[in-house]
Amino acid sequence: MAQTSGANPPGIGDRAPAAPPPGAGPANRWAVLVVLCASLFLVALDATVLHVAIPAVSADLRPGPIELLWIVDVYPLICASLLILFGTLGDRIGRRRVLLMGYACFGVASALAACATSAPVLIGARALLGVGGAMIMPATLSILRHVFPDRRERAMAIGIWSAVAAVGAAVGPLVAGILLEHFWWGSVFLLNIPLMAICLPVGARLLPESRGRVGTGPWDVPGALIAAAGLFCVILAVKRVGGGHLWTPWTLLVGVAGAALLVTFVRRQRSRAHPLIDLSAFSRPAFGTSVGCIVLTVLALVGLALIAAQYLQLVLGLTPLQTGLRLLPLSLAAIAAGLMGAWMLRLMGPRLMISGGFLLTALAVLLLLQIGHHDNPPLLITGFVLLGFGLETTLFGSYESMINDAPADQAGEAASLGETAYQFGAGLGIALLGSVMNAVYAPAVRAVGGLDDEERVAVGHSLAEARAIADAIGGETGAELHTAAVNAFVAGTHAALAASALLLLIGALAALRLPREPMSPAAGTEGVRGADTDVTTAIPGGAAVDLAVGDYRHVASSGGTAAPQPTAPEAPHAGSTP
């Protein structure tokens, strides 16, 4: 049954509390969160799960260099390109509908990927996975925004949501390592099928349907396609820069085309009566700064995780499974930070929380600058724990501030922008930190004497290639090359860590634009500004819901009751001026 909204009240403290979504009692709300997080975990997992399986894929399918690159990159590339398209589509036709379509698409694509017998088929399946991921990611956050109208409960839910996203990406290599110990490479995709088969009927039963405000005009299909094409080109150019193709004509052409398309998109949105994206949101400190902080946080997370994985395997000689286990403290710290996020937000407020998260992460990076040629487990574990906790603290605070600042009728739009920032930060992190590392590594290793021109070029590509050439050459020259390559790689790692620390400090300064007020312990449901105006399906209750709540029951018991209760005035809005 649709809800209608009245006029906005004059003051924040005078807002009339919005009714919770129909049927969204405490148990139901947290059961919905379980369903959303289960699907989000798989989407995040698939972004990194294939990295460890690449050698097995190469041996079985024998893809060419370009095909291998597309096998790895097509999933995040397609996913990032379509986030705005499907996020805004969900605001128009229903977020639950788009999410369920994403579940079906993701399950079918996983089956195709697992059974792929050639590189083109696997590339196509990974592209279809990206389409499903683009449907799922913004829908989970926008539905969460609708199901949890109370800011205190929503902060806890976003903490769990963001921790699941970070952990999914972090444990991808670990899951792949375990599966590859016993099964073939296609098994890394089979995990998705039974979970999506569960999420689809359970989601159809539990998830509420919601849309944006009625009367917002037709959906801008050309604008959505222009945005998708522009993002595709820009992110592809960024990835090529990260691969060392900075000044090639193809990279420049793709980058310029993407920039031109995005400029066209911005101009189109500014000229339309009913724009696809409310660009004025970026002028609000809480929203615009939060999106920027997401980019910087993910830039550090993905770039540092990639460097750490390479260091552990190529310098310390750990197996993929050992590498995943060694990175596990980062994931556990991220979970802890996500679960503590709501408490820290109430204690410190967005400004101090996000700035502090950046500073803690910078401290972890500076600590990891002490790594060398030999294994030092206490140093690495301490650094990874601080890194995971600091990054997740910043990521939680940024998402909470961004989604709290956006009206609920624009939840899909806001979620898609946040997830686009996440994907863009991931690509930028690999490109930027990888370029810094390569700028130090390549000249040093190519200075080794006794190499012909072809070998000199090859050793500068990666430490793995340098070690293979050193083993083939043998003798004193091979030994000298091996030592120089390891030394150059460690020096490059130190340079990338230093650059990351500088970016994190910039993030800490940028976060000072955010509101400083802590969230009131008595913050109640939000006002009319945040209420959805079209809710068409209630969340059904019943005993089956209790089985899905699990460990989240104690959280719900302290956050409210099924029946509406009088609430205290809401804390200052995240978009307000401090």
Side-chain angles (χ1 to χ4, degrees):
M1 183 172 66
Q3 295 175 343
T4 57
S5 61
N8 286 335
I12 293 174
D14 299 326
R15 291 174 180 168
N28 283 358
R29 290 197 295 275
W30 297 99
V32 166
L33 181 63
V34 172
V35 176
L36 297 178
C37 286
S39 55
L40 178 66
F41 177 81
L42 292 180
V43 174
L45 186 81
D46 266 52
T48 58
V49 73
L50 194 61
H51 292 173
V52 174
I54 283 299
V57 172
S58 299
D60 186 19
L61 302 184
R62 299 190 179 279
I66 301 300
E67 289 178 323
L68 187 61
L69 182 66
W70 278 103
I71 287 173
V72 175
D73 285 345
V74 70
Y75 171 75
L77 187 59
I78 294 295
C79 185
S81 303
L82 298 178
L83 286 167
I84 290 178
L85 189 153
F86 286 119
T88 55
L89 179 63
D91 284 345
R92 301 303 176 101
I93 70 170
R95 297 152 188 162
R96 171 178 171 271
R97 180 180 299 175
V98 171
L99 181 61
L100 295 179
M101 289 166 53
Y103 287 168
C105 181
F106 208 81
V108 171
S110 297
L112 291 175
C115 300
T117 56
S118 66
V121 172
L122 182 56
I123 292 171
R126 291 273 290 170
L128 192 59
L129 278 170
V131 175
M135 293 180 182
I136 294 171
M137 292 179 73
T140 58
L141 188 55
S142 55
I143 290 175
L144 183 153
R145 173 70 170 81
H146 163 67
V147 171
F148 292 91
D150 179 84
R151 189 179 178 187
R152 286 189 64 190
E153 287 191 347
R154 186 166 66 240
M156 174 64 75
I158 291 176
I160 297 170
W161 179 91
S162 60
V164 167
V167 170
V171 304
L174 175 61
V175 171
I178 293 173
L179 291 174
L180 291 174
E181 290 282 331
H182 306 284
F183 307 105
W184 91 113
W185 61 265
S187 62
V188 301
F189 299 107
L190 290 181
L191 180 65
N192 301 337
I193 299 173
L195 288 180
M196 284 301 172
I198 294 173
C199 285
L200 192 57
V202 172
R205 174 187 169 95
L206 291 182
L207 298 178
E209 184 61 284
S210 63
R211 298 183 180 90
R213 187 178 293 118
V214 176
T216 54
W219 187 49
D220 183 13
V221 178
L225 296 176
I226 291 172
L231 287 169
F232 181 92
C233 292
V234 168
I235 296 174
L236 178 59
V238 168
K239 286 181 174 291
R240 287 183 59 82
V241 170
H245 306 287
L246 178 58
W247 299 113
T248 61
W250 176 243
T251 300
L252 293 175
L253 178 63
V254 171
V256 170
L261 286 168
L262 291 181
V263 169
T264 302
F265 172 74
V266 170
R267 289 181 175 177
R268 179 182 178 87
Q269 298 310 295
R270 287 178 174 173
S271 65
R272 290 182 63 84
H274 302 289
L276 191 70
I277 296 292
D278 180 14
L279 297 176
S280 65
F282 288 97
S283 64
R284 301 196 300 266
F287 191 91
T289 304
S290 295
V291 171
C293 288
I294 291 172
V295 172
L296 286 173
T297 305
V298 180
L299 186 156
L301 171 64
V302 175
L304 293 175
L306 179 62
I307 290 172
Q310 290 180 323
Y311 171 79
L312 293 173
Q313 293 185 72
L314 299 178
V315 176
L316 301 185
L318 301 184
T319 66
L321 180 57
Q322 291 172 330
T323 299
L325 291 172
R326 187 64 67 88
L327 290 172
L328 193 59
L330 188 152
S331 302
L332 296 177
I335 294 174
L339 296 178
M340 294 173 61
W343 174 78
M344 289 190 289
L345 185 67
R346 290 196 298 270
L347 182 66
M348 296 183 287
R351 178 186 298 179
L352 184 58
M353 181 180 181
I354 296 175
S355 295
F358 273 124
L359 292 175
L360 182 61
T361 308
L363 176 63
V365 170
L366 294 175
L367 181 64
L368 290 173
L369 277 171
Q370 309 304 313
I371 61 175
H373 300 77
H374 304 289
D375 196 3
N376 189 340
L379 173 66
L380 291 172
I381 291 173
T382 302
F384 290 157
V385 167
L386 294 178
L387 194 66
F389 196 91
L391 287 171
E392 180 57 27
T393 297
T394 305
L395 199 61
F396 166 85
S398 300
Y399 268 112
E400 200 283 336
S401 182
M402 179 197 72
I403 203 68
N404 186 68
D405 182 73
D409 60 276
Q410 297 176 7
E413 172 187 323
S416 65
L417 289 173
E419 293 305 321
T420 301
Y422 189 103
Q423 296 293 335
F424 182 73
L428 194 62
I430 295 174
L432 182 59
L433 297 185
S435 297
V436 169
M437 185 173 183
N438 192 61
V440 174
Y441 167 79
V445 74
R446 286 171 178 163
V448 176
L451 303 176
D452 59 35
D453 292 342
E454 185 177 348
E455 291 171 338
R456 201 174 302 280
V457 171
V459 297
H461 290 161
S462 68
L463 177 56
E465 288 190 57
R467 292 175 64 176
I469 292 175
D471 292 339
I473 294 174
E476 292 184 4
T477 302
E480 181 184 356
L481 175 60
H482 185 277
T483 301
V486 172
N487 290 340
F489 188 89
V490 172
T493 299
H494 289 166
L497 289 172
S500 179
L502 178 61
L503 291 171
L504 291 167
L505 292 176
I506 293 174
L509 293 175
L512 296 179
R513 296 187 68 242
L514 292 166
R516 81 178 67 147
E517 294 90 347
M519 185 172 62
S520 169
T525 55
E526 61 190 338
V528 173
R529 175 184 180 275
D532 270 328
T533 58
D534 183 19
V535 180
T536 58
T537 305
I539 308 177
V545 172
D546 295 337
L547 299 176
V549 177
D551 294 336
Y552 297 116
R553 186 184 304 277
H554 69 283
V555 180
S557 66
S558 62
T561 59
Q565 299 291 331
T567 58
E570 187 185 23
H573 192 267
S576 60
T577 303

